[in-house]
């Protein structure tokens, strides 16, 4: 049986890890290098690094900090933010990323996914979708949740996978930072539409939320969270221990 992955997420702005609620009201947390090292040593399966204002500010991702983070960890690293060309893929991979996450760049130019998949392989291309309910419809947002694209999310994600994305990170804006549990309805819809790994993001508030996630939706491959790990509310070793107790396979 494939083990479920636990993935801390570093949202980086101006060289610092930050955290908000529903993608707003962002506050400073810590140094990305220190946090990355801590997670690598404390049992995280992978790490996600998002430069959260690169797309909105129309600039390239901070590669100096990325290099430093990559040099400190011994787990797979997914990197996103301001990825608009295959040149951007090349740049972050050379800085130590294992996978590259695209969001706004793929919305602007969907062929970026197929181009990158041909060059680097499907396993390297991650589609990250920021999704919010608008009039009852799962709707894709771009530029860090700032712009409503009007696109239906499940169809968009399916299209990205068909073009070569090998993994999906589903960020529910509705549950982001609220700590009331993952968005099971949204995740279920996406899991039933694609046959690649789906990572749940947005809403984790306690260990029990991860147990509920994997028990309710066995197709979900990984749970991603930020603030509960950053502020020490949940320790990864404790979380994995509880998952194992509940017969959910994890790497200890």
């Amino acid at each position: 049986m494939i083990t479920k992955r636990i993935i801390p997420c570093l949202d980086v702005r101006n060289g610092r890890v930050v955290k908000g609620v529903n993608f707003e009201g962002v506050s400073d947390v810590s140094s990305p290098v220190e946090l990355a090292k801590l997670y690598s040593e404390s049992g995280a399966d992978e790490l996600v690094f998002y430069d959260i204002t690169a797309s909105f500010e129309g600039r390239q991702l901070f590669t100096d900090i990325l290099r430093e983070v990559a040099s400190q960890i011994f787990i797979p690293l997914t990197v996103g933010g301001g990825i608009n060309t295959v040149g951007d893929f090349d740049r972050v991979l050379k800085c130590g990323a294992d996978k590259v996450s695209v969001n706004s760049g793929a919305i602007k130019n969907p062929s970026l996914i197929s181009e990158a998949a041909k060059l680097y392989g499907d396993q390297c291309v991650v589609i990250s979708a920021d999704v919010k309910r608008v009039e009852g419809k799962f709707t894709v947002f771009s530029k860090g949740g700032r712009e409503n694209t009007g696109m239906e999310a499940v169809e968009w994600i399916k299209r990205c996978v068909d073009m070569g994305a090998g993994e999906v990170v589903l960020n529910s804006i509705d549950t982001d930072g609220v700590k009331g549990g993952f968005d099971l309805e949204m995740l279920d819809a996406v899991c039933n539409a694609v046959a690649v790994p789906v990572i749940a993001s947005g809403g984790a508030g306690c260990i029990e939320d991860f147990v509920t996630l994997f028990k309710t939706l066995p197709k979900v491959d990984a749970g991603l969270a930020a603030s509960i790990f950053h502020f020490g509310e949940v320790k990864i070793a404790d979380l994995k221990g509880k998952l194992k107790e509940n017969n959910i396979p994890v790497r200890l």
Side-chain angles (χ1 to χ4, degrees), residues 215-226:
K215 286 267 192 194
T216 310
L217 301 175
K219 286 182 182 174
V220 169
D221 284 78
L224 179 147

Side-chain angles (χ1 to χ4, degrees), residues 4 35 41-42 47 53 59 65 77 92 94 102 109 112 119 130 151 163 166 169 172 183 202 212 217 224 228 235:
K4 302 300 184 187
L35 268 185
E41 290 167 355
S42 60
L47 192 65
T53 53
R59 60 166 171 77
I65 296 164
L77 175 64
V92 299
K94 282 176 176 160
V102 284
N109 173 24
L112 174 61
L119 276 171
D130 296 333
M151 291 192 297
M163 286 188 291
V169 176
S172 170
D183 198 325
T212 302
L217 301 175
L224 179 147
I228 59 165
K235 291 192 165 46

Side-chain angles (χ1 to χ4, degrees), residues 199-247:
I199 297 170
S201 170
C206 61
I207 286 176
E208 207 52 49
D209 290 335
F210 287 87
V211 175
T212 302
L213 170 70
F214 295 128
K215 286 267 192 194
T216 310
L217 301 175
K219 286 182 182 174
V220 169
D221 284 78
L224 179 147
S227 58
I228 59 165
F229 296 141
H230 299 343
F231 298 120
E233 294 163 45
V234 169
K235 291 192 165 46
I236 291 170
D238 296 344
L239 168 55
K240 287 190 166 186
K242 192 69 170 175
L243 291 172
K244 193 168 182 349
E245 274 175 36
N246 281 272
N247 299 313

Side-chain angles (χ1 to χ4, degrees), residues 45-104:
D45 296 296
E46 297 188 15
L47 192 65
V48 168
F49 177 111
Y50 287 138
D51 185 335
I52 60 169
T53 53
S55 291
F56 178 66
E57 292 170 2
R59 60 166 171 77
Q60 292 189 324
L61 183 139
F62 292 124
T63 46
D64 50 346
I65 296 164
L66 175 56
R67 271 197 197 90
E68 218 178 326
V69 165
S71 73
Q72 294 293 325
I73 67 172
F74 301 96
I75 51 176
L77 175 64
T78 298
V79 177
I83 307 294
N84 295 298
T85 65
V86 287
D88 291 328
F89 267 79
D90 189 59
R91 201 161 47 85
V92 299
L93 289 168
K94 282 176 176 160
C95 288
D98 299 282
K99 295 184 269 190
V100 181
S101 173
V102 284
N103 187 334
S104 299

Side-chain angles (χ1 to χ4, degrees), residues 51-201:
D51 185 335
I52 60 169
T53 53
S55 291
F56 178 66
E57 292 170 2
R59 60 166 171 77
Q60 292 189 324
L61 183 139
F62 292 124
T63 46
D64 50 346
I65 296 164
L66 175 56
R67 271 197 197 90
E68 218 178 326
V69 165
S71 73
Q72 294 293 325
I73 67 172
F74 301 96
I75 51 176
L77 175 64
T78 298
V79 177
I83 307 294
N84 295 298
T85 65
V86 287
D88 291 328
F89 267 79
D90 189 59
R91 201 161 47 85
V92 299
L93 289 168
K94 282 176 176 160
C95 288
D98 299 282
K99 295 184 269 190
V100 181
S101 173
V102 284
N103 187 334
S104 299
I107 291 166
K108 276 187 295 203
N109 173 24
S111 65
L112 174 61
I113 294 170
S114 46
E115 287 170 32
K118 278 194 196 87
L119 276 171
Y120 304 110
D122 293 11
Q123 81 292 335
C124 180
V125 183
V126 179
I127 181 68
S128 175
D130 296 333
V131 183
K132 186 177 184 179
R133 289 165 180 79
V134 178
E135 294 174 359
K137 184 177 88 167
F138 295 138
T139 306
V140 177
F141 279 66
S142 66
K143 297 189 176 172
R146 291 174 181 84
E147 285 186 13
N148 182 347
T149 67
M151 291 192 297
E152 199 284 322
V154 178
E155 282 308 307
W156 165 244
I157 291 167
K158 194 170 181 305
R159 184 180 165 203
C160 292
V161 170
D162 289 344
M163 286 188 291
E167 191 166 73
V168 175
V169 176
L170 180 65
N171 308 304
S172 170
I173 297 174
D174 294 326
T175 60
D176 173 72
V178 178
K179 299 185 182 177
F182 290 98
D183 198 325
L184 301 177
E185 181 195 18
M186 193 184 283
L187 285 158
D188 189 41
V190 171
C191 284
N192 288 326
V194 299
V196 298
V198 173
I199 297 170
S201 170

